[in-house]
Amino acid sequence: MTPPAAFTIVITAVDLLPTGREGIKKDMNPDRTVAALLADYLRQAGVTHVFGYPGESLVDFIEVARLAGPEVVSAVREASAAFMAEGAAMRTGTVGACLSTLGPGSTALLNGVASAQLDRVPLLAVSGQVDSSREQFWTHQLIDHNRLFAPVTKLTARLDAASADTVLRRALRTATAERPGAVHLTVTMDSFGKDTVGDGKVPPLATVGAGLEFFGDEPLRALRRARRPVLLAGAGAVRSGATDVLAQFAAHAGLPVVVGAMAKGVLAEDSPWYAGTLDMAGHQAIWELLASADLIVTAGFDSVELITPWRLPVPVLHVDTVPNTDQVYPAAIEVVGSVATALAWFLANWDDGPRWSEPEVAAHRAALRSAYHAGYAAGRLNPSELVETVRAAAPSGTVVTTDVGSHKIMTGQAWTTLAPRETLITNGLSAMGFGLPAAIGAALSSVPGTPVVCMTGDGGFAMTAHELSVASRLGLGLVVVVFADGGLNRIELHQASVGYPLAATAVDRTDIPLLAESLGCDGVRVESVSSLEKALSGAFGTGRTRPLVIEARIDPAQYSAQF
Ligand SMILES: Cc1ncc(C[n+]2csc(CCOP(=O)(O)OP(=O)(O)O)c2C)c(N)n1
């Protein structure tokens, strides 16, 4: 079958963002400082908050942002600031922004920048630097930012008065272009205050347009030949806005849809075609489903969404915004462009009847559910029931973030997600310390009053607990659930699996409710489902402006049966 002519052209159609507000236009003038131009670009790119940690090199920017926005939010530590920016960008789909000073500030920022890069999240990170007159020879606190950030960004550049306008447009476009990622800019101390010329007109920033490039009608023929195809949807489908068409195509062609953890909600998880989240708890059941397929059609699936190595001999039809350059799985056929456009094309041309029935997919989900509950210990607070109880209490539209560890594996499977950008998980860098800052960033960039929950292990919580004071200062009524098991469970499981005794993996117990209260939050300890339900009873819909921290003393025994 010949594809419709419109699809044979590669179009780089992009949506223009709104060009700004009246107030911004009023203060626009052709001669202004580099700091003012940066602030203007950020505002016009839709950035409402810049997360950072101050240093002398940043004060010019902090002052212009204080006067005209975006709002500068101080975190407790630079890496947390970058995670906050990443959480905001994950939630909104627009670029996130973070700031550090030179030297120790920039090295501390690195983890969060790397996280955005591997998570394919658009991020603009800016670090101050010594005066340009000393940049080439100074030693005190001087780090070469280009060399530091090059491996963890798409672009590193210097922002100076001579080229600030072009460099800012380049930085924003590079961060948001497929695949999105991090860009780092260095600004020497004497540059922020210098006059420069520019109008702060952002380039088109939408990550995915309507363009589609493909190779004849072979993709459709391959799908028609398949008797048991399965769809594997990922973060590229979210960025392409493919949610509705994915649901329609799955229903029309009768296809089970497995989703990547970073794409949760791209198919509503109450859909009869939902077949689970890959590489989260009970993952064996999902790999068995994929192994039983005779074709896997990826829909914006990204190899960073994998934890387990890809060992399937099943043929793959690769549909994504970018070609299959990773080659983590081989794919003989590629369809490259907007995932939504590609799925719409498959949908419009599918006239071959359903491949699976709803009861077949329901039977698979039942197997997955029982794998998820494996290892349940009666009379204890199990991680599976902790996730299910919090999920049941959280109203629809709740945003959840997870940190990294066994609790992520459980939450990533059982947190029923009905819309994209409501479950925010890092699976690229998978850095501990992400969950709480990301929840703060997500809360600030959501409609006020949106319920936001952070699910974290006690190890990751200890790394970032002081950021609770930021949430408290900002009046964010987050619910932070700490899976308190006294250990770095994912690592303990590995030690056990290779026959080593547990060593260096204990998490020192702290009085988490007391700590929370000292940081301006409410805190409670629970050890059973009933006490958890009681703690959650006032957690949602009561207009709280203080974070609530729940120390959930779980029995981690169940984890060993999960992954
Ligand atoms: C910054 C960072 N350091 C180390 C790791 C390796 N790591 C992955 S999971 C994990 C244990 C996490 O423990 P905890 O936060 O208590 O969560 P749990 O596994 O117990 O749910 C560690 C150390 C990591 N992912 N990130």
Side-chain angles (χ1 to χ4, degrees):
M1 113 121 22
T2 316
F7 290 165
T8 57
I9 307 165
V10 180
I11 315 162
T12 17
V14 282
D15 300 324
L16 281 166
L17 286 182
T19 48
R21 307 174 304 241
E22 273 320 298
I24 296 166
K25 285 210 176 111
K26 229 171 25 177
D27 69 24
M28 269 164 76
N29 75 66
D31 298 311
R32 53 156 115 208
T33 64
V34 170
L37 189 66
L38 170 61
D40 194 5
Y41 265 103
L42 291 175
R43 288 190 304 259
Q44 299 213 34
V47 173
T48 54
H49 297 85
V50 183
F51 302 92
Y53 199 89
E56 289 164 21
S57 64
L58 299 177
V59 295
D60 286 338
F61 177 78
I62 293 172
E63 178 58 10
V64 298
R66 185 184 69 81
L67 294 172
E71 187 179 335
V72 177
V73 175
S74 309
V76 176
R77 194 166 158 72
E78 287 84 351
S80 294
F83 290 136
M84 288 175 193
E86 185 182 358
M90 279 180 162
R91 171 78 181 129
T92 60
T94 55
V95 69
C98 60
L99 284 176
S100 81
T101 191
L102 69 169
S106 59
T107 50
L109 190 72
L110 190 75
N111 222 25
V113 176
S115 178
Q117 173 72 358
L118 279 191
D119 286 346
R120 324 298 196 194
V121 171
L123 179 79
L124 184 61
V126 179
S127 299
Q129 186 56 293
V130 293
D131 267 18
S132 49
S133 62
R134 287 182 296 157
E135 198 186 3
Q136 298 307 315
F137 67 87
W138 199 243
T139 48
H140 175 66
Q141 292 197 314
L142 196 129
I143 296 281
D144 180 337
H145 290 158
N146 286 334
R147 290 172 67 201
L148 180 68
F149 286 98
V152 297
T153 53
K154 295 174 78 179
L155 171 74
T156 61
R158 247 177 84 130
L159 189 62
D160 56 30
S163 57
D165 195 43
T166 308
V167 167
L168 282 168
R169 281 189 282 112
R170 184 175 178 221
L172 287 167
R173 190 66 193 106
T174 303
T176 54
E178 283 296 304
R179 289 167 170 152
V183 168
H184 183 269
L185 297 179
T186 297
V187 196
T188 57
M189 220 153 144
D190 50 322
S191 288
F192 261 141
K194 277 200 182 127
D195 279 350
T196 188
V197 176
D199 59 9
K201 243 195 176 121
V202 290
L205 296 184
T207 53
V208 185
L212 183 62
E213 173 192 314
F214 66 149
F215 310 104
D217 58 356
E218 183 51 23
L220 199 56
R221 279 209 300 269
L223 190 55
R224 283 220 182 92
R225 277 194 302 271
R227 298 292 100 194
R228 302 297 272 174
V230 174
L231 279 166
L232 177 54
V238 174
R239 296 195 301 272
S240 297
T243 304
D244 291 344
V245 69
L246 176 68
Q248 287 167 32
F249 180 49
H252 185 58
L255 302 177
V257 183
V258 173
V259 306
M262 294 177 64
K264 276 182 81 69
V266 67
L267 181 77
E269 294 180 13
D270 57 0
S271 159
W273 302 104
Y274 175 66
T277 303
L278 189 68
D279 271 354
M280 296 288 119
H283 71 318
Q284 206 49 47
I286 295 183
W287 282 108
E288 280 163 19
L289 176 83
L290 291 171
S292 76
D294 56 358
L295 180 71
I296 295 170
V297 181
T298 63
F301 180 74
D302 188 319
S303 50
V304 296
E305 298 178 86
L306 288 169
I307 296 176
T308 312
W310 186 283
R311 294 202 184 88
L312 301 175
V314 180
V316 176
L317 196 169
H318 172 93
V319 180
D320 198 5
T321 58
V322 291
N324 185 25
T325 49
D326 293 328
Q327 290 294 319
V328 167
Y329 51 78
I333 311 172
E334 299 185 9
V335 179
V336 179
S338 157
V339 177
T341 309
L343 294 179
W345 183 73
F346 281 119
L347 174 64
N349 289 286
W350 186 259
D351 49 9
D352 215 25
R355 291 296 189 250
W356 295 69
S357 69
E358 287 189 15
E360 284 174 322
V361 183
H364 158 74
R365 276 197 308 272
L368 177 59
R369 219 175 5 260
S370 75
Y372 175 78
H373 289 116
Y376 177 86
R380 307 292 177 84
L381 181 54
N382 291 267
S384 64
E385 53 194 352
L386 176 54
V387 175
E388 289 170 332
T389 308
V390 179
R391 182 68 193 105
S396 98
T398 296
V399 174
V400 67
T401 67
T402 75
D403 205 71
V404 173
S406 295
H407 63 281
K408 162 182 145 179
I409 305 286
M410 301 302 286
T411 309
Q413 192 61 270
W415 190 277
T416 308
T417 307
L418 301 181
R421 302 193 183 283
E422 287 186 356
T423 295
L424 310 180
I425 289 181
T426 172
N427 205 63
L429 189 65
S430 286
M432 291 166 69
F434 166 86
L436 176 56
I440 292 171
L444 280 178
S445 51
S446 297
V447 174
T450 302
V452 178
V453 174
C454 167
M455 307 285 263
T456 177
D458 45 8
F461 176 74
M463 283 184 174
T464 51
H466 228 95
E467 304 294 349
L468 285 172
S469 65
V470 179
S472 171
R473 184 209 308 148
L474 296 168
L476 303 175
L478 309 177
V479 177
V480 179
V481 180
V482 185
F483 290 56
D485 57 3
L488 302 173
N489 184 263
R490 282 242 62 75
I491 314 306
E492 291 176 341
L493 288 179
H494 192 69
Q495 288 172 325
S497 73
V498 291
Y500 297 152
L502 303 188
T505 44
V507 173
D508 297 329
R509 291 281 192 191
T510 43
D511 186 332
I512 290 176
L514 193 62
L515 176 70
E517 276 157 31
S518 74
L519 294 167
C521 309
D522 295 322
V524 59
R525 180 174 301 123
V526 302
E527 304 194 38
S528 65
V529 171
S530 57
S531 59
L532 174 63
E533 283 171 339
K534 190 159 161 250
L536 288 166
S537 62
F540 298 102
T542 52
R544 275 182 315 102
T545 52
R546 269 164 79 88
L548 168 65
V549 182
I550 300 175
E551 177 186 355
R553 290 280 180 117
I554 55 160
D555 182 335
Q558 191 188 25
Y559 283 140
S560 59
Q562 296 300 327
F563 197 86

